[in-house]
Amino acid sequence: MREVAFIKQNKEKWLNFEQAIFGKTLKNPDELASLYIHLVNDLSYAQTYYPKSKTILYLNNLAAKAFQKIYKTKREDTNRFVHFFKVEVPMIIYEYRRYVLYAFIIFLSFVAIGALSAANDASFVRLILGDSYVNMSLENIEAGDPVAVYKSGSNWGSFIGITLNNLYVGIKAFIFGIFVGLGTAMIMLYNGIMIGAFQYFFYKEGVLWESVRGIWIHGAMEIFAIVIEGAAGLILGASILFPKTYSRLTSFKMGVKNGVKILISTFPFTIAAGFLEGYVTRYSNSMPNWLSVGIIVITLSLISFYYLIYPFILNAKLKQTYAII
């Protein structure tokens, strides 16, 4: 069958199915599952006979959205909060995994730029961090406590202030994605260059290890969360630039919805990072190495597993459950 005839034959069925997914005209999960089987068969046929066609992209995207809706309506766990973090967000992360990769590449590139700039320009660190902060840090290094800045203020006050600031940065990184992703890139540029210059400063002063074992107690989750929030902003920007088979408005709505869900998922990690910065980091210089390194490894492992490993595990599990090809 020619592809044109294949599309003409199934076009009405696909449009009805699209209405069922995005227009919520079908509320019966069994009826939706039945239509889904037909869709998967059409996708399989298209992959076999029209391997380079855009029809495959369209059907594959419909199948992914249908899968999420079917699983949502048939799930055994009725706790909406648990389902959100256990299934919904990981599946969105899996669907947009390329944007998570892009966010890491962009952010780490800016970190490298910050470090290289600091290495080649003695005034760069002061330009980025400010004279007062650099002078204070030099005094702390001379006093034998490079990260003494984290001891200022009360535990509770530091926790609240730091957490609110980090939440603000994350929300801004997402919202600025509306400027076709460029706003998000600017937020990542500023934070990435600052981190690169910041860490090089401590390296130059010979206290890199002391700074790492202190700063990254909270920084592992804090910075990782910013990158994920950056990915959400890139998704928002891409929904405007690349609507695919959808209208630009529909694509934008999907980008906002999925981006907000990813953004919200980072909040527990951001709050945990704020708690660690307010209550734990200030004691890093008196901790044994194994304890500070252990905290860094555990926090980094938790957030890495949730965003980089668990989505793939869950996707494989659900594919096996519902026999998705």
Side-chain angles (χ1 to χ4, degrees):
M1 183 187 301
R2 294 172 64 103
E3 184 180 3
V4 173
F6 173 70
I7 294 173
K8 185 177 180 180
Q9 176 180 310
N10 296 285
K11 181 179 178 181
E12 185 175 352
K13 176 177 62 178
W14 297 341
L15 290 176
N16 289 335
F17 190 77
E18 191 172 335
Q19 276 293 324
I21 298 300
F22 300 108
K24 300 181 180 179
T25 58
L26 294 176
K27 297 183 180 180
N28 185 339
D30 292 325
E31 187 177 359
L32 192 61
S34 177
L35 284 173
Y36 176 72
I37 292 173
H38 289 286
L39 180 66
V40 170
N41 289 336
D42 291 341
L43 175 59
S44 178
Y45 186 90
Q47 288 174 328
T48 301
Y49 294 100
Y50 321 116
K52 297 182 180 180
S53 171
K54 291 184 179 180
T55 304
I56 295 176
L57 179 64
Y58 169 74
L59 294 177
N60 195 53
N61 193 53
L62 260 187
K65 296 296 182 183
F67 167 70
Q68 290 184 16
K69 186 165 185 178
I70 291 169
Y71 186 80
K72 178 180 178 181
T73 55
K74 286 195 169 187
R75 69 182 186 271
E76 294 179 2
D77 186 357
T78 57
N79 189 311
R80 184 69 183 86
F81 180 82
V82 172
H83 180 263
F84 176 79
F85 285 98
K86 185 179 179 181
V87 176
E88 198 167 347
V89 170
M91 289 307 298
I92 293 173
I93 290 292
Y94 181 82
E95 181 181 353
Y96 292 100
R97 56 194 179 279
R98 288 186 301 129
Y99 293 94
V100 174
L101 176 61
Y102 298 156
F104 271 102
I105 292 174
I106 292 170
F107 187 79
L108 291 176
S109 297
F110 290 148
V111 171
I113 291 172
L116 289 172
S117 298
N120 290 281
D121 185 351
S123 64
F124 186 76
V125 174
R126 290 184 176 274
L127 176 66
I128 297 298
L129 302 179
D131 288 330
S132 59
Y133 188 88
V134 171
N135 292 335
M136 177 184 63
S137 296
L138 289 172
E139 292 174 2
N140 291 336
I141 291 171
E142 188 175 347
D145 192 358
V147 292
V149 64
Y150 296 104
K151 294 181 179 179
S152 60
S154 64
N155 299 90
W156 180 253
S158 296
F159 165 51
I160 296 296
I162 291 164
T163 300
L164 290 177
N165 178 71
N166 291 341
L167 290 173
Y168 169 73
V169 171
I171 293 172
K172 188 165 66 171
F174 167 66
I175 292 177
F176 278 22
I178 200 169
F179 300 109
V180 294
L182 295 178
T184 295
M186 289 301 297
I187 298 296
M188 298 176 74
L189 168 70
Y190 174 76
N191 285 279
I193 286 180
M194 182 174 65
I195 290 171
F198 184 67
Q199 286 291 202
Y200 183 82
F201 167 71
F202 285 106
Y203 166 76
K204 183 180 178 182
E205 297 301 323
V207 289
L208 177 64
W209 172 244
E210 289 79 358
S211 71
V212 168
R213 64 187 292 265
I215 295 166
W216 291 96
I217 284 178
H218 63 271
M221 285 198 292
E222 177 184 313
I223 302 306
F224 201 115
I226 290 176
V227 176
I228 297 299
E229 290 153 356
L234 295 179
I235 291 169
L236 178 59
S239 72
I240 301 171
L241 284 174
F242 311 112
K244 297 181 180 178
T245 58
Y246 307 105
S247 68
R248 203 169 296 277
L249 179 59
T250 299
S251 176
F252 174 68
K253 289 179 179 178
M254 291 169 58
V256 171
K257 181 179 179 181
N258 291 324
V260 166
K261 289 179 179 179
I262 293 173
L263 174 67
I264 292 173
S265 76
T266 66
F267 289 173
F269 295 105
T270 300
I271 293 170
F275 175 83
L276 288 172
E277 187 169 353
Y279 285 89
V280 181
T281 299
R282 62 179 61 222
Y283 304 113
S284 62
N285 68 325
S286 59
M287 287 182 185
N289 282 338
W290 66 266
L291 181 56
S292 56
V293 172
I295 294 173
I296 294 170
V297 170
I298 291 172
T299 55
L300 182 59
S301 297
L302 282 173
I303 195 168
S304 297
F305 176 79
Y306 184 72
Y307 287 108
L308 303 183
I309 300 174
Y310 179 61
F312 290 87
I313 295 175
L314 179 63
N315 181 69
K317 179 181 177 181
L318 297 184
K319 275 188 175 181
Q320 184 177 12
T321 302
Y322 288 91
I324 294 180
I325 59 175

